[in-house]
Amino acid sequence: MMRVSQKNETRGNILTASVRLFARYGYDGVSMRQLAAEVGVQPAALYYYFPDKQKLYLAVMEFALRDGTTEATAMLHEAKPPLVRLKNFCITMINTLSANPDLVQLLQRERLTDDQNRTELLYEEVFSKPFEALVETVKEMEPNQDPLLMAISVVGLINFYLELKPVRRFMPGWRPEHEWPETLSLHVARLLKKIFSKQEASRRGGVMELW
């Protein structure tokens, strides 16, 4: 019988290879046979770990995002001012995505899919916890605004910077430090602080300095 450590290693190898292939070719462009060949196992062995491609794909997304989304969700639940929690969330997600270009490409492909059933499963299994925590955080900060649209705007702000990576260097004003995750994190944090602090000041008559 296969040892637990060996089984875990094989499963990890399958997931790692799948992230790369799904990012490069998309869900419909990758077959289970192709994945098996990439990992060096028989196709039947692949089904030992994952009963079908959709289950494998969900596991791949959870595997690729697990550390970042877990940390980001925990930060949004910390006992700190909501603006500070939002800043930490953005920094975590930018660092996670900057370190994983395959993951950025994988998310780009997923946004273009027309498979509503798979998208719904993906949201429920992978994205729901961090996103719902983000919605609650922005609701604290902007109770008079639509929290869903505000949360989507925050996510869009992060994603857009990263998706522009291939063309940023050709834009006027580009500097090498624009490629550093720290630069992007600080910029997004300052931008969000400016937006939300202005709204807070209008309600309380002063500006909060949180960082």
Side-chain angles (χ1 to χ4, degrees), residues 186-198:
L186 184 59
H187 171 73
V188 171
R190 284 174 171 168
L191 185 59
L192 291 171
K193 176 185 176 183
K194 185 175 182 179
I195 293 170
F196 286 109
S197 291
K198 185 176 180 180

Side-chain angles (χ1 to χ4, degrees), residues 8-9 38 41-42 78 85 90 99 102 107 121 134 150 152 197 202 208:
N8 290 340
E9 181 180 358
E38 182 77 11
V41 299
Q42 293 298 317
E78 289 180 335
R85 298 187 334 245
C90 291
D102 283 340
L107 292 172
L121 277 173
L134 177 60
M150 294 293 290
I152 290 173
S197 291
S202 70
M208 297 190 305

Side-chain angles (χ1 to χ4, degrees), residues 14-30:
I14 292 170
L15 292 171
T16 300
S18 297
V19 170
R20 184 171 60 254
L21 289 178
F22 281 131
R24 187 176 303 170
Y25 302 112
Y27 180 85
D28 293 326
V30 178

Side-chain angles (χ1 to χ4, degrees), residues 135-206:
V135 168
E136 290 303 312
T137 298
V138 298
K139 189 186 296 184
E140 287 183 57
M141 301 166 65
E142 279 297 322
N144 297 323
Q145 299 292 331
D146 187 315
L148 174 61
L149 294 181
M150 294 293 290
I152 290 173
S153 296
V154 171
V155 173
L157 186 63
I158 294 171
N159 285 336
F160 189 63
Y161 283 119
L162 296 169
E163 290 174 4
L164 278 181
K165 181 178 175 61
V167 298
R168 279 202 306 256
R169 65 178 58 247
F170 305 112
M171 295 177 172
W174 177 85
R175 300 193 302 273
E177 58 265 32
H178 290 163
E179 302 304 308
W180 303 345
E182 295 83 357
T183 302
L184 292 179
S185 298
L186 184 59
H187 171 73
V188 171
R190 284 174 171 168
L191 185 59
L192 291 171
K193 176 185 176 183
K194 185 175 182 179
I195 293 170
F196 286 109
S197 291
K198 185 176 180 180
Q199 296 294 326
E200 184 70 15
S202 70
R203 291 198 299 268
R204 299 192 180 186

Side-chain angles (χ1 to χ4, degrees), residues 7-172:
K7 288 167 62 176
N8 290 340
E9 181 180 358
T10 301
R11 188 177 190 275
N13 290 340
I14 292 170
L15 292 171
T16 300
S18 297
V19 170
R20 184 171 60 254
L21 289 178
F22 281 131
R24 187 176 303 170
Y25 302 112
Y27 180 85
D28 293 326
V30 178
S31 68
M32 294 292 270
R33 184 175 296 277
Q34 182 181 1
L35 285 168
E38 182 77 11
V39 180
V41 299
Q42 293 298 317
L46 214 58
Y47 290 100
Y48 173 80
Y49 295 93
F50 306 99
D52 55 52
K53 191 165 78 168
Q54 182 165 272
K55 291 288 196 307
L56 169 61
Y57 187 74
L58 289 173
V60 165
M61 295 296 285
E62 193 277 335
F63 170 78
L65 284 159
R66 179 179 55 215
D67 292 343
T69 55
T70 298
E71 184 180 359
T73 304
M75 287 179 170
L76 290 171
H77 287 299
E78 289 180 335
K80 295 180 179 179
L83 192 52
V84 173
R85 298 187 334 245
L86 182 62
K87 179 200 73 170
N88 292 338
F89 167 83
C90 291
I91 290 172
T92 298
M93 294 312 301
I94 287 172
N95 288 339
T96 297
L97 294 171
S98 296
N100 296 278
D102 283 340
L103 179 54
V104 175
Q105 189 172 0
L106 195 59
L107 292 172
Q108 284 179 295
R109 287 188 175 278
E110 190 56 37
R111 283 195 290 275
L112 298 175
T113 185
D114 58 359
D115 188 331
Q116 294 300 305
N117 291 332
R118 191 175 80 236
T119 300
E120 182 178 5
L121 277 173
L122 188 59
Y123 174 78
E124 292 297 332
E125 296 292 330
V126 179
F127 298 113
S128 60
K129 289 183 179 179
F131 188 75
E132 287 164 16
L134 177 60
V135 168
E136 290 303 312
T137 298
V138 298
K139 189 186 296 184
E140 287 183 57
M141 301 166 65
E142 279 297 322
N144 297 323
Q145 299 292 331
D146 187 315
L148 174 61
L149 294 181
M150 294 293 290
I152 290 173
S153 296
V154 171
V155 173
L157 186 63
I158 294 171
N159 285 336
F160 189 63
Y161 283 119
L162 296 169
E163 290 174 4
L164 278 181
K165 181 178 175 61
V167 298
R168 279 202 306 256
R169 65 178 58 247
F170 305 112
M171 295 177 172

